[in-house]
């Protein structure tokens, strides 16, 4: 039996989760704790962390080089914010798992476990 939302069995053993297009407020909270922002490298700004559902290690390029940090927004708030103009110095970044790990039922041509979440990126120092 897996620990809900973690892709891990008790004791930390990985579970082969089935593909499911899903999101949850917990994914945003966990991703905010798991992801870091690497700025200024040869590849530009990169978000690095683990998928909050399956635990796979991910890296995604961020569009803005002047980002300074990550801030947490609950999923319902992030959805509302995506529809509204962002505050100065903030950008809501939709994210999804893009792992290559096996997930039964994943549609052909897709990657990831199906999880999606949002991060609030900011140019303001923490």
């Amino acid at each position: 039996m897996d620990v809900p939302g973690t892709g891990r069995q008790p004791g930390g053993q990985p579970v082969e989760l089935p593909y499911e297009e899903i999101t949850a407020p917990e994914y945003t909270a966990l991703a905010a704790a798991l992801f870091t922002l690497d700025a200024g490298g040869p590849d530009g700004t990169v978000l690095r962390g683990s998928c909050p559902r399956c635990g796979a290690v991910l890296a995604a390029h961020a569009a803005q080089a002047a980002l300074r940090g990550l801030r947490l927004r609950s999923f319902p708030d992030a959805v509302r914010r995506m529809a509204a103009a962002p505050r100065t110095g903030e950008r809501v970044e939709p994210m999804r798992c893009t792992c290559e790990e096996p997930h039964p039922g994943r549609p052909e041509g897709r990657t990831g476990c199906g999880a999606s979440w949002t991060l609030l990126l900011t140019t303001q120092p923490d």
Side-chain angles (χ1 to χ4, degrees), residues 93-105:
E93 185 76 19
M95 305 277 301
R96 69 177 190 83
C97 181
T98 56
C99 77
E100 297 291 335
E101 317 306 330
H103 293 286

Side-chain angles (χ1 to χ4, degrees), residues 51-73:
C51 171
R53 179 171 182 248
C54 74
V57 176
L58 307 172
H61 289 275
Q64 189 175 357
L67 297 171
R68 302 253 188 247
L70 302 173
R71 298 254 172 93
L72 170 65
R73 286 278 182 211

Side-chain angles (χ1 to χ4, degrees), residues 23-32 52 72-77 116-118:
T23 191
E26 300 82 37
Y27 293 172
T28 295
L30 192 53
L72 170 65
R73 286 278 182 211
S74 67
F75 183 72
D77 188 43
S116 62
W117 60 94
T118 56

Side-chain angles (χ1 to χ4, degrees), residues 2-3 5-8 14-22 27 51 53-54 97 99 101-107 111-115:
D2 71 309
V3 177
T6 66
R8 303 267 173 204
V15 172
E16 195 174 277
L17 293 171
Y19 180 87
E20 182 179 4
E21 292 184 7
I22 186 171
Y27 293 172
C51 171
R53 179 171 182 248
C54 74
C97 181
C99 77
E101 317 306 330
H103 293 286
R106 179 169 53 206
T111 59
C113 69

